[in-house]
Amino acid sequence: MEQTRIQMFEQETYPILFADFAKATIKHFEQHQDTITETWKKALKQYMTHLVTLQENDLIDPVGEIDISFLYTSLEDTQPKFQIDSYGEFGRVTEESMLTEYLPADWIIVEVKALTTKLEKCIQEKGIRYYIRAAQIEVFKLRAIRSLLYYFALRFKYFIENMIDFRTLAKVKKMPTFLIQIGEYMDWQKTLYAILPIVDIFNCDRSTNLKFRKFLAVYYEDKIFCNLDLSQSSFKDCTFKDSRIEECVMHDCMFDGCVFERMTVKNTKMTGSIFVNCIFQQTVFEETIFDEMSANQNQLEYFEPAEFYDCSFQGLSCKACAFVGCLVENCDAEQVIIEDSTTSESGFDKWNKKEKTPMDEEA
């Protein structure tokens, strides 16, 4: 009976309370984002400066991984915090941290007291205090914080670069593979920033991780990109000509100064990607996703809509694509055809081909 009562509460009441808790916490974060970002940037710069000093004195090796880990034990302290650790070539699995410092995390628990109060009130009103005791309320609280932490870990990828002082980072001696990650201490970590060796997409081992790679001035002609995960990779001054991109995952990619000529992009996910100074000539996007809602239907992830800046569309055809909320600024367009696509609240909406109804004709 006790387990049944807890299960009913978990399924019916807790999700509602968690949704309110998450919404309030996210709102608080967004209201104070600039301050939080600046605080973290200052702390990370100080941390990396300390790394540089240690390396200049030959006290530590090149860094392969910096982990920013939330400490659940800090919830018992006056100030919750993240712990920053640096590891060498083999990471945290086999090595000790070379340098440990901390980042404040007050913003992640600002609504915890309100959540606890609501949990206790609902339990009292439902007359189930005998079944759901203080220890179980603590479990609900920790679960809520953990879910929220995962959400922010996914979201931080969009502004971690605003928190990094790149001049200081450049002075840090790094391994050929270098990662900055965020997550739980000695548990899951999400990569926020990476420096990886250059690879050739079409001349590398099948097991090669293609995420977070940089591709500079590569000329792709008569190529087929199929079933590849190139998420968070950067393409600078690349040309894609007479080729196909199909069944690929390209979330959060950066395309800067790229040319797409007689290209077909089909059934590919490009949410969060940014296109700057790109030229699209006689290119087809088909069943391609550029917005968060469509990308998020079957997975726990956070994405922002794709953005297009200073691009030129010359003969662009989009069929059954998702562009909701996509930003389009200072772009030129000629012969753009959009059919059977969702374009609301986006810069593509003005080009969307809609069938007129008799009521539209009268208007």
Side-chain angles (χ1 to χ4, degrees):
M1 176 65 74
E2 178 179 353
Q3 188 63 25
T4 301
R5 295 278 188 172
I6 295 174
Q7 289 175 342
M8 290 177 61
F9 189 84
E10 287 178 330
Q11 296 170 5
E12 298 174 4
T13 306
Y14 172 77
I16 298 173
L17 298 181
F18 171 73
D20 291 341
F21 163 73
K23 184 177 180 181
T25 306
I26 293 168
K27 181 179 179 180
H28 173 86
F29 177 84
E30 291 175 343
Q31 290 175 338
H32 299 86
Q33 182 174 327
D34 291 343
T35 301
I36 295 169
T37 300
E38 190 59 35
T39 299
W40 276 43
K41 183 172 183 177
K42 187 180 297 182
L44 286 172
K45 181 179 180 179
Q46 179 179 327
Y47 179 82
M48 289 186 288
T49 299
H50 197 172
L51 285 176
V52 172
T53 301
L54 292 173
Q55 289 177 337
E56 288 175 345
N57 289 280
D58 295 323
L59 297 175
I60 62 172
D61 296 326
V63 179
E65 179 181 316
I66 295 178
D67 291 348
I68 304 171
S69 308
F70 183 73
L71 298 177
Y72 289 103
T73 55
S74 70
L75 293 172
E76 302 173 2
D77 301 335
T78 55
Q79 185 182 58
K81 53 183 173 286
F82 285 84
Q83 179 171 308
I84 319 174
D85 291 295
S86 289
Y87 302 94
E89 181 179 4
F90 301 105
R92 66 186 185 279
V93 177
T94 60
E95 298 185 5
E96 295 291 329
S97 174
M98 295 186 288
L99 177 64
T100 298
E101 292 181 5
Y102 300 94
L103 285 167
D106 308 69
W107 47 270
I108 206 168
I109 57 99
V110 290
E111 295 294 328
V112 168
K113 186 175 181 180
L115 172 65
T116 303
T117 300
K118 290 179 181 179
L119 283 167
E120 292 174 344
K121 182 179 180 181
C122 286
I123 291 168
Q124 183 70 35
E125 291 176 347
K126 292 178 181 294
I128 54 176
R129 180 172 292 278
Y130 176 80
Y131 303 99
I132 302 180
R133 302 175 179 85
Q136 185 61 42
I137 292 177
E138 189 68 15
V139 170
F140 286 134
K141 183 180 76 173
L142 291 175
R143 183 187 301 176
I145 294 172
R146 190 177 197 192
S147 298
L148 203 59
L149 174 64
Y150 190 79
Y151 165 85
F152 279 112
L154 297 171
R155 187 167 178 176
F156 266 42
K157 62 188 175 184
Y158 289 112
F159 44 83
I160 185 61
E161 293 194 8
N162 295 330
M163 299 178 177
I164 298 175
D165 184 277
F166 285 96
R167 289 187 177 182
T168 306
L169 178 60
K171 297 177 183 177
V172 177
K173 295 178 183 177
K174 299 177 283 292
M175 297 298 300
T177 295
F178 170 77
L179 307 174
I180 297 179
Q181 305 183 119
I182 189 170
E184 296 180 350
Y185 183 68
M186 289 299 169
D187 205 324
W188 61 267
Q189 295 281 331
K190 287 288 183 180
T191 301
L192 299 176
Y193 178 83
I195 299 175
L196 303 175
I198 294 176
V199 297
D200 183 341
I201 294 175
F202 297 98
N203 189 26
C204 64
D205 190 88
R206 285 189 175 184
S207 62
T208 301
N209 181 7
L210 296 176
K211 298 171 67 174
F212 286 97
R213 299 286 179 171
K214 293 186 184 296
F215 303 97
L216 305 176
V218 184
Y219 190 90
Y220 299 106
E221 184 173 8
D222 294 322
K223 298 291 186 181
I224 298 178
F225 301 76
C226 186
N227 290 315
L228 300 176
D229 189 349
L230 292 154
S231 295
Q232 291 172 281
S233 289
S234 174
F235 296 85
K236 171 72 173 175
D237 297 328
C238 293
T239 297
F240 301 84
K241 184 176 180 181
D242 295 316
S243 301
R244 293 179 65 85
I245 298 175
E246 191 164 356
E247 302 284 346
C248 289
V249 180
M250 303 180 77
H251 293 311
D252 302 316
C253 285
M254 167 63 80
F255 297 91
D256 185 358
C258 295
V259 176
F260 297 82
E261 185 176 349
R262 295 190 295 276
M263 281 291 297
T264 296
V265 182
K266 184 175 181 179
N267 200 14
T268 289
K269 299 175 182 178
M270 305 185 84
T271 305
S273 290
I274 297 178
F275 300 82
V276 179
N277 293 315
C278 291
I279 297 174
F280 299 86
Q281 295 178 330
Q282 305 304 316
T283 291
V284 175
F285 285 115
E286 185 174 350
E287 297 178 351
T288 296
I289 295 174
F290 294 90
D291 71 69
E292 175 187 6
M293 293 179 61
S294 299
N296 228 354
Q297 289 178 346
N298 299 311
Q299 57 183 326
L300 180 60
E301 185 62 278
Y302 178 88
F303 296 109
E304 293 185 357
E307 301 176 4
F308 299 78
Y309 299 93
D310 303 303
C311 294
S312 176
F313 302 105
Q314 302 169 12
L316 176 67
S317 176
C318 303
K319 301 176 183 177
C321 294
F323 292 105
V324 176
C326 290
L327 187 64
V328 178
E329 286 195 359
N330 197 31
C331 295
D332 298 325
E334 184 178 347
Q335 296 180 335
V336 174
I337 299 175
I338 300 179
E339 299 179 289
D340 301 321
S341 300
T342 53
T343 59
S344 60
E345 300 180 11
S346 79
F348 288 91
D349 196 41
K350 59 187 174 184
W351 299 314
N352 194 2
K353 181 179 180 181
K354 301 186 178 79
E355 295 295 331
K356 289 187 177 182
T357 65
M359 186 176 295
D360 292 329
E361 295 290 348
E362 290 178 5

